[in-house]
Amino acid sequence: MQVGPYEGTAADWDSFVRRQLGWTNSHLWGWRRVVQDTFGHETAYLAARDETGKLVGVLPLVWVRSRLFGRFLVSMPFLNYGGPLGSTESIRALVASSIDLLEAAGDGLLELRVRGSLDVGLPASTRKITVLLDLPAATNALWKDLPAKVRSQVRRPQKEGMEPRFGVDQVAAFYAVFSRHMRDLGTPVLPVGFFEAIAGEFEDEVCFGCVYHEGRPVAAGCSFRSGDELELAWASALRSHSRMAPNMLLYWSFMDRAIADGWRVFNFGRCSAGSGTHRFKRQWGGRDEQLRWYHHSTGRIAKTPSPDDGAYAWGPRIWRRLPLAVANRLGPAIVKHIP
């Protein structure tokens, strides 16, 4: 087994990825271009080959460095998945090589974000879960299965005249909602260029959707397709319109679209178990799936930073008070260092 930098075409990488059990959109080659062009982060895309030179495993890695937060080697930053794919032997070899990369760099943290589990001898964080909903073949069947309260909440924004729109042309509208929502949460926002790059790189696999009220976007989401699964990776709604529940119409519209396009699983995206977000997602009738983020530390850093950490509790309180224009200008410079 030989492990080293991937030397081949993007098409061959993606072809291999799509044949592997547990692959996700996060594993695709296009993310290398997105993170390099948007953030300037160095990447280390590793390949494992057998004695004949055949590709048997891959691992996309990104270096995220910050004087404040430290050094991280992550697969994949800003996303929920992206850990090693391939044979059991190749995965172990890839993980060993990623540890060697980190240790050669000095103090830092390796984080491999996976679904399921890896037999690689590393501890795993289980602080995040996702919620999955199996989709029927017809929208009417899903509607009948929803609790009466959920159906009523979906009807409410419809009665208010709200309507969903989808397409890569919704990036600007999505960001208008997303950036305000993040400011209100007290969290630095990703740059609009990140989502513009996603729309350009994954035109056939990404879906931006917005719910409009009186011509103004009031709820928005960004989703990715992986096989027959649709993951709603980012979703937001304006607090000013919460009484009309535009977020309920947003989620329903994404599910409706997923069924129409033949997708079989709706992935609500990551959240913390027991949180309000978790309860919102479970009301649709889905099931929990534990996420495991495997770690290896070479120094003082034990995990990637989170606004839930006590050490950063002061940050959200200050951030919520910033004018939106200021938050949108400062946020991207900060969040690029928080994987």
Side-chain angles (χ1 to χ4, degrees), residues 51-66:
E51 63 277 5
T52 68
K54 179 183 177 181
L55 184 64
V56 292
V58 295
L59 174 57
L61 292 165
V62 177
W63 286 103
V64 180
R65 298 179 174 92
S66 166

Side-chain angles (χ1 to χ4, degrees), residues 80-115:
N80 300 330
Y81 315 112
L85 295 175
S87 66
T88 299
E89 182 183 2
S90 70
I91 288 175
R92 290 173 180 165
L94 288 163
V95 172
S97 292
S98 64
I99 291 174
D100 290 342
L101 282 177
L102 182 72
E103 293 184 341
D107 184 12
L109 179 74
L110 170 70
E111 183 171 81
L112 305 175
R113 301 176 177 181
V114 305
R115 299 172 68 169

Side-chain angles (χ1 to χ4, degrees), residues 30-327:
W31 285 105
R32 182 175 185 266
R33 291 188 285 261
V34 169
V35 297
Q36 285 181 336
D37 293 347
T38 305
F39 304 106
H41 291 324
E42 178 187 352
T43 60
Y45 273 47
L46 300 182
R49 299 184 182 274
D50 64 16
E51 63 277 5
T52 68
K54 179 183 177 181
L55 184 64
V56 292
V58 295
L59 174 57
L61 292 165
V62 177
W63 286 103
V64 180
R65 298 179 174 92
S66 166
R67 291 183 179 179
L68 176 60
F69 300 110
R71 181 190 291 112
F72 304 96
L73 184 58
V74 188
S75 177
M76 285 288 292
F78 317 114
L79 303 173
N80 300 330
Y81 315 112
L85 295 175
S87 66
T88 299
E89 182 183 2
S90 70
I91 288 175
R92 290 173 180 165
L94 288 163
V95 172
S97 292
S98 64
I99 291 174
D100 290 342
L101 282 177
L102 182 72
E103 293 184 341
D107 184 12
L109 179 74
L110 170 70
E111 183 171 81
L112 305 175
R113 301 176 177 181
V114 305
R115 299 172 68 169
S117 59
L118 296 179
D119 182 17
V120 293
L122 296 180
S125 167
T126 56
R127 60 179 173 170
K128 296 296 181 181
I129 63 172
T130 191
V131 177
L132 304 177
L133 177 65
D134 295 317
L135 298 174
T139 301
N140 287 343
L142 176 61
W143 183 257
K144 292 178 181 178
D145 286 342
L146 294 178
K149 181 180 179 181
V150 172
R151 294 198 300 267
S152 176
Q153 290 176 319
V154 172
R155 291 192 187 103
R156 185 183 308 167
Q158 291 174 327
K159 291 178 181 178
E160 295 286 348
M162 295 188 182
E163 61 171 353
R165 302 177 192 173
F166 291 94
V168 292
D169 62 337
Q170 296 298 310
V171 173
F174 161 83
Y175 196 76
V177 176
F178 177 69
S179 60
R180 181 175 290 275
H181 177 75
M182 296 300 287
R183 191 282 308 271
D184 292 345
L185 289 176
T187 303
V189 68
L190 288 158
V192 65
F194 177 64
F195 297 102
E196 291 171 343
I198 290 172
E201 187 67 44
F202 300 108
E203 184 175 356
D204 296 331
E205 290 151 323
V206 65
C207 182
F208 288 90
C210 294
V211 169
Y212 284 78
H213 182 244
E214 298 179 347
R216 178 190 178 192
V218 295
C222 172
S223 67
F224 301 111
R225 181 178 182 178
S226 299
D228 62 355
E229 177 180 294
L230 183 74
E231 178 193 8
L232 189 54
W234 292 281
S236 307
L238 299 183
R239 290 183 176 179
S240 59
H241 289 68
S242 59
R243 179 186 62 83
M244 292 182 272
N247 56 334
M248 297 298 292
L249 180 56
L250 178 76
Y251 276 81
W252 169 253
S253 298
F254 268 101
M255 293 178 201
D256 180 35
R257 185 179 179 87
I259 292 173
D261 288 344
W263 302 332
R264 291 295 168 252
V265 178
F266 185 81
N267 184 329
F268 285 83
R270 80 178 188 229
C271 59
S272 299
S275 65
T277 302
H278 182 211
R279 292 190 293 272
F280 171 86
K281 295 175 179 180
R282 283 299 304 269
Q283 71 179 327
W284 296 88
R287 65 187 187 279
D288 292 349
E289 180 178 86
Q290 181 67 62
L291 302 184
R292 292 177 174 82
W293 293 1
Y294 289 85
H295 293 139
H296 176 76
S297 177
T298 58
R300 59 183 175 84
I301 306 173
K303 59 181 179 179
T304 47
S306 166
D308 298 329
D309 296 340
Y312 306 113
W314 53 270
R317 291 196 296 268
I318 295 175
W319 206 262
R320 294 187 191 103
R321 298 175 181 271
L322 294 178
L324 181 61
V326 175

